[in-house]
Amino acid sequence: MTNDRQSKLLLLLLSRGQVSVHEIATALDASPATVRRDLADLEKSGQIDRLHGSARIATGSKKELAFSAREDNQIAAKRAIAQAAAALVRPNEAILLDAGTTVLQLARHIKSNTVPVNVFTNGLAIAQELAHAAHVNVTLIGGRVRSENLSMVGPAAVSMLGGLWFDRVFLGVSAIDAQGRISSLDADEAETNAQMVRRSGELVVLADHTKFDTRTTHAVTTLGAGDRLISDAPPKGAFAAYLDTAGVAFTQSTPLPALAYA
């Protein structure tokens, strides 16, 4: 697994394409020498191609890295958020887990516990993680495979969800703006997640602080009364004011000891 700086470097290349060493160093607040060492490591592992003074994601690996790079990014925060979320899981209830990388960490908590629970998910990695847990009854939501997120999305997924009801949905997000609006990079992912929210009694959003005050293209839903946000740091400014006015519950996760995520 890459370290956090290398994960951020991969995400930068995924979002911008070919990027110069100078631009990478500026974006990551690292020296050019450090960037070159990271690039050498990533090239050796086959994840990037190095060019003259720049780098890009290796040909054919973009979709695979899109999930793995995000999984490593902010990993300590994601694991702490997942631990706080796990406390909300009740015996024998029906819960829905989306395909987000923070929610994957929650699945690992559920796997390590002994609480019997019915899990529905559109996440391939999450279904695989829980498949052999004797206390977990797992149902995979069908649909088109979106390889960038290892998720099942689209009309078939939306239709299947329409015939189900869940006690709560645990939702990872790409972005939340200052008015509590959640958005996604992909239209099918956004509509599938929106249907998850409509079919659930409670919405629990798992998001590290880097997702705050940001916005992407496709609307999912808006946080409102009765919803819950779990994060590693408290919202600030207009976003904090919105959550208070809208009646959104906020839980701040407790940092885990270093050995818990080494």
Side-chain angles (χ1 to χ4, degrees):
M1 294 177 64
T2 59
N3 63 35
D4 193 53
R5 186 183 60 252
Q6 289 181 0
S7 295
K8 291 177 180 178
L9 194 161
L10 288 170
L11 289 170
L12 182 68
L13 298 183
L14 282 164
S15 63
R16 297 189 189 179
Q18 186 172 328
V19 185
S20 72
V21 170
H22 175 74
E23 290 172 320
I24 295 170
T26 300
L28 301 185
D29 192 23
S31 70
T34 296
V35 169
R36 291 189 184 96
R37 285 195 297 271
D38 286 340
L39 292 175
D41 290 342
L42 294 171
E43 182 183 40
K44 185 177 180 180
S45 65
Q47 298 179 84
I48 68 156
D49 291 327
R50 295 177 73 185
L51 307 168
H52 295 293
S54 64
R56 67 186 179 195
I57 295 297
T59 302
S61 66
K62 182 174 182 179
K63 291 183 178 180
E64 178 184 354
L65 286 172
F67 187 87
S68 61
R70 287 185 294 103
E71 183 181 0
D72 287 350
N73 192 40
Q74 297 289 327
I75 187 63
K78 290 176 179 179
R79 290 178 176 170
I81 291 166
Q83 179 173 274
L88 300 177
V89 177
R90 299 289 178 262
N92 300 311
E93 68 180 0
I95 62 172
L96 181 56
L97 306 183
D98 93 317
T101 54
T102 306
V103 181
L104 175 59
Q105 296 301 323
L106 170 59
R108 289 171 176 158
H109 275 280
I110 292 171
K111 179 181 178 179
S112 67
N113 292 334
T114 58
V115 176
V117 64
N118 301 297
V119 171
F120 295 76
T121 183
N122 73 322
L124 296 173
I126 289 173
Q128 183 178 37
E129 187 73 31
L130 296 174
H132 300 292
H135 61 287
V136 183
N137 183 21
V138 183
T139 300
L140 180 63
I141 303 298
R144 175 180 66 84
V145 177
R146 181 173 178 249
S147 54
E148 294 89 343
N149 207 33
L150 299 181
S151 58
M152 308 292 275
V153 299
V158 171
S159 177
M160 182 174 176
L161 288 165
L164 300 168
W165 180 255
F166 312 98
D167 293 293
R168 63 178 55 81
V169 56
F170 293 91
L171 190 71
V173 301
S174 299
I176 315 174
D177 70 14
Q179 287 73 48
R181 293 174 294 207
I182 296 169
S183 53
S184 174
L185 291 166
D186 180 82
D188 282 345
E189 190 101 55
E191 178 53 31
T192 302
N193 287 350
Q195 179 75 323
M196 291 178 173
V197 174
R198 289 191 289 265
R199 304 304 301 173
S200 300
E202 181 185 9
L203 169 61
V204 182
V205 172
L206 311 184
D208 69 77
H209 69 280
T210 65
K211 308 296 179 60
F212 295 172
D213 296 309
T214 59
R215 187 183 301 166
T216 54
T217 307
H218 303 283
V220 175
T221 190
T222 300
L223 286 169
D227 296 336
R228 180 176 298 275
L229 170 64
I230 303 178
S231 185
D232 60 318
K236 298 178 181 179
F239 185 36
Y242 170 81
L243 295 180
D244 185 58
T245 301
V248 178
F250 174 73
T251 299
Q252 182 171 348
S253 60
T254 301
L256 301 179
L259 289 177
Y261 53 87

